[in-house]
Amino acid sequence: MITKERLTHLKQLEAESIHILREVAAEFTNPVMMYSVGKDSSVMLHLAMKAFAPGKPPFPMLHVDTLWKFREMIEFRDQRTKELGFDLVVHSNPKGKEMNISPFEHGSKVHTDIMKTEGLKQALNAGGYDAIIGGARRDEEKSRAKERIFSFRDKHHRWDPKNQRPELWNIYNTRINKGESVRVFPISNWTELDVWQYIYLEGIPIPSLYFAKERDVVEYEGTKIMVDDERMPEALRKKAKKEMVRFRTLGCYPLTGAINSTASTLPEIIKEMLLSTSSEREGRLIDKDQEGAMEMKKIEGYF
Amino acid sequence: MSVENKISTDIESYLKEHENKDMLRFLTCGSVDDGKSTLIGRLLYDSKMIFEDQLAAAESESKKYGTTGEKIDMALLVDGLQSEREQGITIDVAYRFFATDRRKYIIADTPGHEQYTRNMVTGASTADVAIILIDARKGILTQTRRHSFIVNLLGIEHVIVAINKMDLVGFSEETFKEIKSAYTALAEELGIKHTYYIPLSALDGDNVVEKSENTPWYDGKPLLELLDTMDISRKETAENFRFPVQYVNRPNLDFRGFCGTIAAGSVKVGDEVTVLPSGKTTKVKSIINAGDITEKSREVTTEEAYAPMAVTITTEEEVDISRGDMIVHTKALPRVSNSLKVMLVWMDETPMEPGTVYDIKRATTVVSGNFEHINYKVDVNTYERQSVHKLGLNDIASCKMVLTQPIAADAYKENRLTGSFIVIDRITNNTVGAGMIVGVSRREEDIQKLTTREYTDAERALNQYIRDNFPEWECKKC
C-alpha cells in the first residue's frame, strides 16, 4: 500500500543510489564515475546531479573511448558535458590506437581486451582513483547478481568472487590500502524496467540510437550491426540494407547488435521491452564468447 | 484484460499504474535439497523475468550439470557463479529481481548450510520478509531452527513457512498440519511476530502463483499473492527522527548543507534539533529532497521530509556539524554512550578475542572500540547459551562493546539503521563482524562521570604530550 509515508519503489531506489553516491564522496579521496554514454550512465549522471545539489558532483566522469563507439555517442557525450558542466576525462589506449586495433580485423575478444579492459586499467592507473563508480546492475547477468555494491579490487584491479566482503544493511566498508580500489555500483538493485521507467518519469536525455529509425545495417556474426563509418570492411558495407532498427544497449558499433523495431518513443520502448522474450545483453557480442564469460572478464578487471 | 493486453493496447496507463508500485525485499532460507533455487527460478519464470535466451542457456546447462532429468533445472537459472553451477550449490548471497502489478521484489538468495551463516545474516540484514523452506518429507530440521533464529535476530518480522515438496507426500493435509503446529511452537519460543504457512511444490508450481488443485483443503493464498498483499509498513513517520550526517555539502561560501538519508521519522522546517554527540541545538532552516531536484530547477526545497528520503538540511545557526554526527529532534533524544550491550555475529576466519581494537562503522559514524567481554555465545541450533573466551567464524554472541567515543545509540529492535554496525579489521580492512545494539550498558553512568571531569592545565598538557608522541596508545583527548 502506498501512503504519503511510503515511497514508491522508484523513489526508494533513487534514495538508495543517492545514499551510495554520497558515501563515495565522503569516504574516498579520489573517486571517479564511469560514463559510458548509455542509458544507465545517463541515469547515474542524473542521480549524481541530484545528490550534490545545489552543487555539482565532486568527482569527474571518465569515458574509456575504444575509438569504435557510435559517432552519435561521442556527440551526445560532449553536448551533455557542456550542458551540465561536469568534469570529463577521456582515455583511449594509445598502444591500441597505434596498432589500429579493429574489432573487424582482430575480433571482439582482442579488441575488448585491449581497448576496453586494458584502456580502463590504464585510465584508472593514470588517474590513481580509489573509487570507481559504475552503472552495472545485478539483473544484467548471473555473476553480477552476487557482486557487492562496494566491490573491492586489489592493486591489479582484480575481483575475487569467492572472497568478497560481507555487505550488510546500508553500511558500506570503504577501507582500502594504497593502490587498491573499490568499484561502486549505485544502481545495483535497479532492473532494466526500473531504468526505463525512471528515464521516462524524470525526462532524462538519452542518445537517439535507443529509438527506432531507418538505419543502414548489415548481418555480421549472427547479429545486425549498423554502418557507422568507413572503417567497416567494404565487402560488408556493400551488403548494407535500410531497416527500421534500434539499439537496446550502446557500445562499440561493430559489437552492438541492432534489433528490428518501430519503437520511437519511451513508452513504446518500454512496451517492447515488456513484451520481448530475449534479455538485454543478447545483442551484445561479448558475453557469448564462452560460458561464464562475464565472470571471467570481471575477475580480470573488466567491469 | 491480461497484462500483455494492457501493455500492448495502453502502455501509458500501464506505466501510470506502475509508477506507484511498492517495494518488498525478502530472504529465502533453505539448503540445496529444499528446492530453494527451484522456487526462485519458478517465481522468476512465472513472473516472466526469465527471457528465452536465458532459458535456452539453462536448458543447455541442464544437460551438463542438471539434477532434474528431463525437466529444465530451474536452479540453474539462478545459481550465478560457475564454480557454484559445477557443485550445484549456492555459496554466496545473490540478489534477484522480479515485479508484479503491485510490487517490485528484491530476493536475497542465501546459502543454507551452517558454514555460510554469515552469508545468511548478510542477506537477512536488508529483508522485510523471510521465506523459510521446509521439506515436507523431513519436517523441522536443525537448519530450520538455525534459519529461524537468524531471521529473528536480524529483526525480520514476517516469516512465510513454505512447506515444499508436497507432491512427494501426496499433498497430505495431515503432514502440513503437523509441520505447521511444530513451527508455531518454534515461532513462539523465538518471539517471531507474524507467521504464514503455505503447502508448496516449487518444482511443479503448486501454490506458487496459482492456487493448486492438489490442495483443496488449503484456504490461504498462493505464495505470490501473499507477498503482494502483506502489510510490511513499519510506520516510519511515527518514529523518532534520526538523521546520520553523511556528507557536508559546501558548493560555495553561501551554502552549507548536511546531506544524509533519514533513518527514521520525519522532519519539518523550523523543528528544533540537537546534534549528537556534541549536544548542540539549532533549528532546521531548509530541507532539500534530492529526489525533487531536476536539471532545470536545482534549488527546490521542501517543508517536510521523512524516511527513507535522501535529503540535505541547512540549519539556522552556524553549528559545528560533521560526518558521523547524528541530528535528532531535541524533544526525542536517544541515549548517548560509549558502552553498549550488543549481539555480535563474527564473520572472519580469524577469531575475535576480547580487547582487540577494531573499527566500528555505525550508520555514517566510524569509531574504534573493542569487545570488552563476551557475555555468552548462542548455539544457533539449540539456542543454548555457552560461556566462551573468543568467537570463531559464524559465532553469534552477546557482548559488551566499548567505544573510544560515545555515540547516539538506538536499540536495533527500535531502529534497524541506527542500531546496526559492522566491525572492520584495522589491518586487513575486512568486514569481520556485524552487530546489533541491544541497549546501553549499565555502567554508562560511571563513564559519563569520567568524561565530564575537569582537568588542570598541567593535566591537559600531559594529555597533549602523550597524544602527540605516543599515538599507538590511542589516548583520548581530555
Side-chain angles (χ1 to χ4, degrees):
Chain A
M1 211 194 321
I2 302 291
T3 56
K4 180 181 152 269
E5 278 81 27
R6 217 169 145 77
L7 298 182
T8 65
H9 80 289
L10 284 174
K11 284 288 162 193
Q12 286 188 49
L13 289 171
E14 179 190 65
E16 179 184 78
S17 302
I18 290 171
H19 177 85
I20 293 161
L21 289 170
R22 288 170 169 175
E23 198 66 8
V24 174
E27 294 264 88
F28 292 90
T29 49
N30 190 18
V32 70
M33 182 185 266
M34 298 300 294
Y35 182 63
S36 72
V37 201
K39 64 178 200 307
D40 300 293
S41 277
S42 299
V43 165
M44 297 259 294
L45 185 57
H46 188 77
L47 292 166
M49 294 301 290
K50 285 187 176 218
F52 304 99
K56 285 186 179 146
F59 41 73
M61 308 291 146
L62 170 66
H63 183 225
V64 176
D65 187 352
T66 59
L67 306 175
W68 286 87
K69 301 288 177 194
F70 289 92
R71 276 176 304 169
E72 192 206 316
M73 289 171 71
I74 305 301
E75 286 160 22
F76 183 87
R77 177 194 75 192
D78 295 341
Q79 190 199 327
R80 292 301 281 158
T81 313
K82 223 196 272 165
E83 282 166 1
L84 298 176
F86 55 83
D87 297 330
L88 176 74
V89 179
V90 178
H91 178 83
S92 304
N93 183 348
K95 240 169 58 194
K97 206 168 168 178
E98 205 175 281
M99 289 158 67
N100 254 325
I101 294 295
S102 151
F104 292 114
E105 220 177 291
H106 303 89
S108 83
K109 187 169 184 331
V110 171
H111 169 74
T112 309
D113 282 352
I114 295 179
M115 298 310 290
K116 203 165 178 172
T117 311
E118 263 316 297
L120 175 65
K121 281 187 197 174
Q122 288 170 351
L124 297 184
N125 288 335
Y129 306 112
D130 51 359
I132 302 107
I133 307 164
R137 306 189 316 266
R138 284 169 172 161
D139 76 325
E140 280 178 272
E141 203 268 341
K142 281 188 283 185
S143 74
R144 281 188 172 160
K146 306 223 160 180
E147 189 159 12
R148 306 292 185 253
I149 291 174
F150 282 65
S151 188
F152 177 79
R153 294 294 193 277
D154 67 14
K155 58 182 193 292
H156 306 292
H157 306 291
R158 289 170 68 101
W159 180 54
D160 183 356
K162 286 183 192 154
N163 204 12
Q164 299 192 75
R165 292 175 177 175
E167 192 164 84
L168 299 100
W169 299 289
N170 63 350
I171 313 176
Y172 303 104
N173 180 350
T174 54
R175 285 297 169 79
I176 51 168
N177 289 323
K178 211 170 148 40
E180 297 166 345
S181 61
V182 172
R183 304 269 166 110
V184 184
F185 304 107
I187 59 167
S188 286
N189 288 328
W190 297 50
T191 61
E192 190 187 4
L193 177 59
D194 295 330
V195 167
W196 280 118
Q197 266 190 321
Y198 189 69
I199 289 171
Y200 178 57
L201 274 175
E202 297 275 313
I204 302 170
I206 51 167
S208 74
L209 291 159
Y210 285 112
F211 301 99
K213 206 178 110 179
E214 276 217 328
R215 295 184 168 98
D216 286 327
V217 290
V218 293
E219 293 284 339
Y220 179 67
E221 296 193 347
T223 45
K224 279 192 186 92
I225 61 165
M226 181 175 136
V227 183
D228 197 47
D229 59 33
E230 309 283 280
R231 291 178 297 174
M232 179 185 279
E234 214 187 328
L236 261 178
R237 253 186 294 144
K238 270 198 278 183
K239 293 187 211 152
K241 281 185 296 190
K242 276 216 183 307
E243 284 186 46
M244 272 301 268
V245 292
R246 64 177 203 89
F247 297 89
R248 296 179 68 178
T249 61
L250 300 183
C252 300
Y253 84 81
L255 302 176
T256 309
I259 53 162
N260 284 98
S261 165
T262 54
S264 59
T265 63
L266 280 171
E268 279 168 11
I269 288 174
I270 297 171
K271 173 169 143 184
E272 190 180 275
M273 198 215 103
L274 287 170
L275 299 174
S276 77
T277 52
S278 64
S279 66
E280 184 181 6
R281 301 189 71 87
E282 200 190 19
R284 224 177 250 194
L285 299 177
I286 304 177
D287 287 1
K288 285 198 287 198
D289 292 351
Q290 62 189 101
E291 187 191 319
M294 182 58 89
E295 190 180 336
M296 294 293 297
K297 290 219 153 69
K298 284 174 70 69
I299 290 171
E300 285 165 22
Y302 173 67
F303 258 85
Chain B
M1 189 159 60
S2 79
V3 181
E4 271 93 350
N5 241 327
K6 173 133 208 183
I7 293 169
S8 44
T9 53
D10 192 358
I11 181 71
E12 308 221 2
S13 79
Y14 173 87
L15 286 175
K16 199 88 217 147
E17 281 169 30
H18 281 245
E19 281 169 26
N20 293 323
K21 229 185 268 190
D22 193 3
M23 187 153 86
L24 188 149
R25 297 176 192 240
F26 69 88
L27 166 80
T28 50
C29 322
S31 63
V32 201
D33 312 322
D34 305 323
K36 178 171 57 81
S37 295
T38 310
L39 176 66
I40 295 171
R42 172 65 61 189
L43 282 170
L44 301 184
Y45 180 71
D46 286 347
S47 63
K48 302 201 164 44
M49 285 309 287
I50 303 288
F51 291 104
E52 262 173 23
D53 58 329
Q54 290 172 326
L55 202 60
E59 237 172 310
S60 91
E61 284 175 29
S62 289
K63 288 185 189 127
K64 215 157 146 193
Y65 315 115
T67 54
T68 51
E70 288 299 298
K71 290 179 195 168
I72 296 173
D73 192 345
M74 290 284 171
L76 288 177
L77 289 170
V78 293
D79 284 341
L81 303 176
Q82 203 163 16
S83 50
E84 291 174 28
R85 263 172 281 159
E86 283 153 12
Q87 296 164 32
I89 54 160
T90 314
I91 52 169
D92 204 342
V93 194
Y95 296 90
R96 324 273 172 203
F97 308 86
F98 71 98
T100 63
D101 285 353
R102 290 190 178 125
R103 277 182 167 149
K104 172 197 166 101
Y105 292 94
I106 302 180
I107 313 174
D109 180 8
T110 62
H113 287 103
E114 192 159 4
Q115 69 263 41
Y116 302 120
T117 294
R118 65 170 172 173
N119 306 66
M120 195 182 145
V121 169
T122 302
S125 72
T126 51
D128 310 299
V129 175
I131 298 179
I132 293 189
L133 276 126
I134 295 179
D135 185 330
R137 295 169 303 174
K138 296 177 186 158
I140 291 176
L141 299 175
T142 306
Q143 65 156 7
T144 317
R145 293 179 60 83
R146 182 170 70 246
H147 296 159
S148 304
F149 179 83
I150 295 168
V151 159
N152 190 54
L153 178 73
L154 271 290
I156 299 177
E157 293 180 354
H158 303 269
V159 173
I160 299 174
V161 183
I163 301 167
N164 193 25
K165 305 200 180 179
M166 287 300 291
D167 50 321
L168 300 181
V169 295
F171 294 98
S172 153
E173 183 181 7
E174 210 51 32
T175 309
F176 176 77
K177 276 188 170 162
E178 270 168 37
I179 296 174
K180 180 176 171 177
S181 94
Y183 194 89
T184 307
L186 177 61
E188 267 170 32
E189 184 184 348
L190 285 168
I192 294 172
K193 277 196 183 153
H194 311 282
T195 49
Y196 315 79
Y197 300 87
I198 306 181
L200 277 184
S201 166
L203 193 64
D204 298 321
D206 292 271
N207 290 327
V208 177
V209 178
E210 305 277 338
K211 244 186 122 159
S212 170
E213 285 170 12
N214 294 316
T215 53
W217 43 265
Y218 172 65
D219 57 8
K221 292 169 181 166
L223 178 61
L224 198 57
E225 197 184 322
L226 176 64
L227 286 169
D228 261 352
T229 52
M230 60 200 302
D231 180 13
I232 50 155
S233 53
R234 280 177 183 246
K235 306 214 174 17
E236 275 99 349
T237 45
E239 293 171 357
N240 294 327
F241 174 60
R242 297 287 185 265
F243 185 69
V245 176
Q246 194 183 10
Y247 179 77
V248 181
N249 193 10
R250 298 169 80 175
N252 55 57
L253 291 174
D254 305 324
F255 188 88
R256 183 179 154 89
F258 306 102
C259 304
T261 304
I262 301 178
S266 61
V267 65
K268 284 194 187 77
V269 170
D271 282 359
E272 194 171 316
V273 291
T274 298
V275 183
L276 296 171
S278 76
K280 293 183 190 104
T281 60
T282 180
K283 275 185 178 157
V284 175
K285 187 176 162 196
S286 72
I287 305 168
I288 298 172
N289 174 18
D292 295 341
I293 299 289
T294 64
E295 222 171 277
K296 302 258 146 42
S297 54
R298 298 189 41 75
E299 289 175 18
V300 217
T301 55
T302 181
E303 279 302 303
E304 185 184 10
Y306 49 91
M309 286 179 180
V311 302
T312 303
I313 289 174
T314 63
T315 54
E316 288 287 354
E317 282 92 3
E318 274 267 332
V319 186
D320 179 20
I321 302 175
S322 48
R323 176 176 164 87
D325 289 344
M326 178 110 67
I327 299 178
V328 302
H329 274 148
T330 308
K331 60 179 198 275
L333 296 178
R335 297 187 79 175
V336 176
S337 174
N338 70 331
S339 178
L340 305 163
K341 189 180 164 196
V342 302
M343 286 302 287
L344 178 67
V345 182
W346 199 247
M347 302 188 150
D348 202 52
E349 308 278 348
T350 310
M352 190 289 285
E353 292 185 40
T356 311
V357 177
Y358 299 99
D359 278 342
I360 307 294
K361 186 170 181 183
R362 193 285 314 263
T364 59
T365 317
V366 182
V367 286
S368 59
N370 77 88
F371 301 94
E372 199 180 84
H373 180 71
I374 302 171
N375 301 325
Y376 57 85
K377 180 190 137 176
V378 188
D379 183 314
V380 287
N381 299 321
T382 62
Y383 310 159
E384 274 166 19
R385 293 177 178 189
Q386 300 157 357
S387 161
V388 291
H389 300 294
K390 54 183 174 181
L391 298 180
L393 179 65
N394 295 321
D395 280 353
I396 298 175
S398 162
C399 300
K400 181 183 168 188
M401 179 168 83
V402 179
L403 304 173
T404 50
Q405 279 167 44
I407 57 166
D410 285 310
Y412 184 75
K413 269 213 167 103
E414 276 136 42
N415 193 322
R416 249 176 145 179
L417 294 181
T418 55
S420 55
F421 60 88
I422 60 168
V423 184
I424 300 168
D425 186 287
R426 304 176 81 182
I427 295 159
T428 64
N429 289 332
N430 279 334
T431 304
V432 291
M436 288 140 282
I437 298 172
V438 177
V440 169
S441 150
R442 241 181 294 148
R443 277 185 50 219
E444 174 221 11
E445 262 79 353
D446 315 340
I447 292 147
Q448 287 274 313
K449 261 180 234 149
L450 276 176
T451 52
T452 52
R453 183 173 150 181
E454 287 296 317
Y455 297 100
T456 63
D457 286 346
E459 282 168 338
R460 282 182 201 283
L462 173 66
N463 177 273
Q464 184 67 46
Y465 178 80
I466 293 171
R467 283 187 294 118
D468 289 345
N469 294 290
F470 302 94
E472 69 275 19
W473 291 1
E474 293 178 346
C475 179
K476 276 186 283 181
K477 189 179 174 171
C478 73

